[in-house]
Amino acid sequence: MSRVFNFSAGPAMLPVEVLEEAAAEMMDYQGSGQSVMEMSHRSKVYDQIIKEAEADLREIMNIPDNYKVLFLQGGASQFFAEVPMNMMKNKKAGYVITGQWAKKAYQEAKIYGEAVELASSADETFSYIPDCSDLPITDDMDYVYICENNTIYGTKFKTLPNTKGKDLVSDISSCFLSEPIDVSKYAVVYGGVQKNVGPAGAVIAIIREDLITDECLPGTPTMLKWKTQADNDSLYNTPPCYTIYICGKVFKWIKKQGGLEAVKANNEKKAKILYDFLDESKMFRGTVRKEDRSLMNVPFVTGNEELDAKFVKEATAAGFVNLKGHRTVGGMRASIYNAMPIEGVEKLVEFMKKFEEENA
């Protein structure tokens, strides 16, 4: 069976060569006589897998020495709670609301203290990034929180907020490893891996060491204390072993592409093909303010629900799958993460042109 072009927002497509390598090692990982799925996380063989994955990630992202890398479970959604549990010393934090995931993180933080909405783009269905150059940040706030790339709405922070000296926490789930970032500008940067980095099951968190202390909110479970995880090199309990192993392969694949600069150039090229078509099309249009467009998630609509449904149905039959938009935006959404080949975007645009001609 030939593979489809999978435009899913996550779990998303993985690089073919990573899947082929994993398939070749499925029964016997490098002469160990066992699959990584069956391996003890305390074994020397697995210890090398997780250590090498971390070393490669540090190299790719140029992570400073005073940051810990943690491979965790529970998805980004559990991490929404871990942030206030580990960081809300004054029980107050500021949140920029740019979509559903930022909103969920904000609501989670309200359980633990005072979460303040600093800015929001809800007034226009989160189709833009609000101005964050002069946010109403107060001295008693523990941190400022953003979701950097909004998977559902297709927006992306091009400039980080002015946090007025406060620690910045950023959820980068859907733009993880899509371009270089300066880790030192963040206190915590984290993401679920199932969009751009690996199969579902892990969150990677990069946390400045001074934030990893015993001083968590009362009632914080042992497992959710960053110190528990950091002290045990992400091996306090059985981690998502196989997911981490695949992430490690993706890190090597990124190095082979030429690192994050090369990955970014490729992503810009792919996004340009799709956005250029949307900008000239008479039928399809993008839903995001141009200057805030994501390279990873591209929502678009025809303005007619029946036509949208017809497009999704015909696209699926033609091998372009998971293009249906999120219910809060409607229409379509193409997620074009690192593993989506340029050919996939070119062929999608060809199909869209043909659909436009046939349904004009």
Side-chain angles (χ1 to χ4, degrees):
M1 172 193 169
S2 65
R3 280 172 65 78
V4 294
F5 288 114
N6 178 8
F7 292 92
S8 169
M13 68 186 295
L14 286 159
V16 169
E17 62 187 84
V18 166
L19 294 173
E20 286 170 345
E21 240 178 71
E25 292 175 347
M26 178 55 81
M27 299 297 285
D28 176 12
Y29 174 72
Q30 297 188 358
S32 67
Q34 55 190 319
S35 170
V36 176
M37 283 190 185
E38 307 166 301
M39 204 172 269
S40 163
H41 62 296
R42 304 284 179 211
S43 66
K44 274 190 175 145
V45 189
Y46 191 75
D47 196 52
Q48 193 188 341
I49 290 173
I50 193 169
K51 284 197 165 70
E52 207 168 297
E54 179 180 335
D56 284 338
L57 182 64
R58 283 185 174 277
E59 184 187 329
I60 296 164
M61 291 183 74
N62 200 13
I63 298 170
D65 291 343
N66 64 324
Y67 284 74
K68 285 273 190 213
V69 173
L70 302 180
F71 296 94
L72 307 170
Q73 297 175 66
S77 296
Q78 179 171 286
F79 208 82
F80 296 164
E82 289 188 35
V83 171
M85 281 175 173
N86 286 271
M87 288 182 75
M88 259 193 180
K89 310 283 190 268
N90 295 321
K91 294 224 170 172
K92 191 174 180 184
Y95 280 70
V96 181
I97 313 297
T98 48
Q100 192 154 315
W101 302 112
K103 197 170 158 186
K104 285 190 170 178
Y106 165 68
Q107 285 163 343
E108 197 72 15
K110 281 179 160 177
I111 298 168
Y112 301 100
E114 188 187 344
V116 180
E117 184 183 295
L118 296 172
S120 171
S121 50
D123 61 333
E124 289 180 34
T125 324
F126 302 119
S127 59
Y128 70 99
I129 297 289
D131 177 9
C132 295
S133 58
D134 187 21
L135 298 167
I137 295 164
T138 53
D139 284 347
D140 54 350
M141 284 182 183
D142 292 301
Y143 59 87
V144 172
Y145 184 103
I146 61 169
C147 178
E148 203 157 321
N149 186 92
N150 298 282
T151 325
I152 293 172
Y153 302 97
T155 59
K156 164 84 166 67
F157 279 82
K158 302 292 163 78
T159 309
L160 293 176
N162 172 10
T163 63
K164 301 181 179 176
K166 293 292 169 192
D167 283 336
L168 177 64
V169 178
S170 178
D171 172 358
I172 57 164
S173 294
S174 51
C175 59
F176 212 159
L177 300 183
S178 64
E179 59 181 307
I181 65 168
D182 180 354
V183 174
S184 68
K185 289 184 173 169
Y186 305 83
V188 179
V189 62
Y190 77 94
V193 302
Q194 72 279 7
K195 298 168 184 293
N196 221 6
V197 189
V203 162
I204 297 174
I206 301 159
I207 304 171
R208 209 176 59 227
E209 280 179 350
D210 60 286
L211 297 168
I212 300 174
T213 68
D214 283 321
E215 290 173 52
C216 299
L217 293 186
T220 299
T222 305
M223 274 287 292
L224 304 188
K225 292 178 177 175
W226 293 341
K227 193 167 191 318
T228 303
Q229 302 292 351
D231 286 351
N232 291 279
D233 297 324
S234 305
L235 293 164
Y236 172 72
N237 69 326
T238 311
C241 297
Y242 199 78
T243 295
I244 295 166
Y245 153 77
I246 299 284
C247 289
K249 290 203 175 298
V250 172
F251 303 155
K252 291 204 183 303
W253 177 79
I254 285 172
K255 283 166 73 169
K256 221 158 132 186
Q257 305 306 301
L260 292 182
E261 288 291 354
V263 165
K264 183 188 184 186
N266 194 45
N267 286 332
E268 285 175 334
K269 208 157 140 189
K270 285 188 296 191
K272 188 178 189 309
I273 293 167
L274 186 46
Y275 284 125
D276 282 356
F277 169 69
L278 290 173
D279 289 343
E280 65 190 33
S281 167
K282 289 186 171 58
M283 175 181 284
F284 299 100
R285 62 173 183 85
T287 58
V288 173
R289 203 184 274 180
K290 277 188 186 179
E291 61 269 29
D292 298 324
R293 284 172 166 176
S294 164
L295 293 178
M296 296 286 99
N297 313 98
V298 185
F300 56 97
V301 295
T302 64
N304 176 319
E305 281 186 26
E306 280 169 27
L307 202 54
D308 287 350
K310 185 181 185 203
F311 173 80
V312 170
K313 192 180 173 190
E314 289 183 15
T316 303
F320 305 100
V321 304
N322 294 313
L323 278 165
K324 192 176 189 303
H326 191 271
R327 62 186 179 275
T328 56
V329 182
M332 287 69 66
R333 169 182 51 180
S335 292
I336 50 176
Y337 299 122
N338 292 349
M340 173 60 68
I342 208 151
E343 175 202 10
V345 182
E346 287 168 345
K347 288 197 165 161
L348 174 65
V349 167
E350 266 171 47
F351 177 81
M352 289 167 78
K353 281 179 180 162
K354 185 167 158 277
F355 183 88
E356 185 165 343
E357 281 161 20
E358 290 169 1
N359 295 275

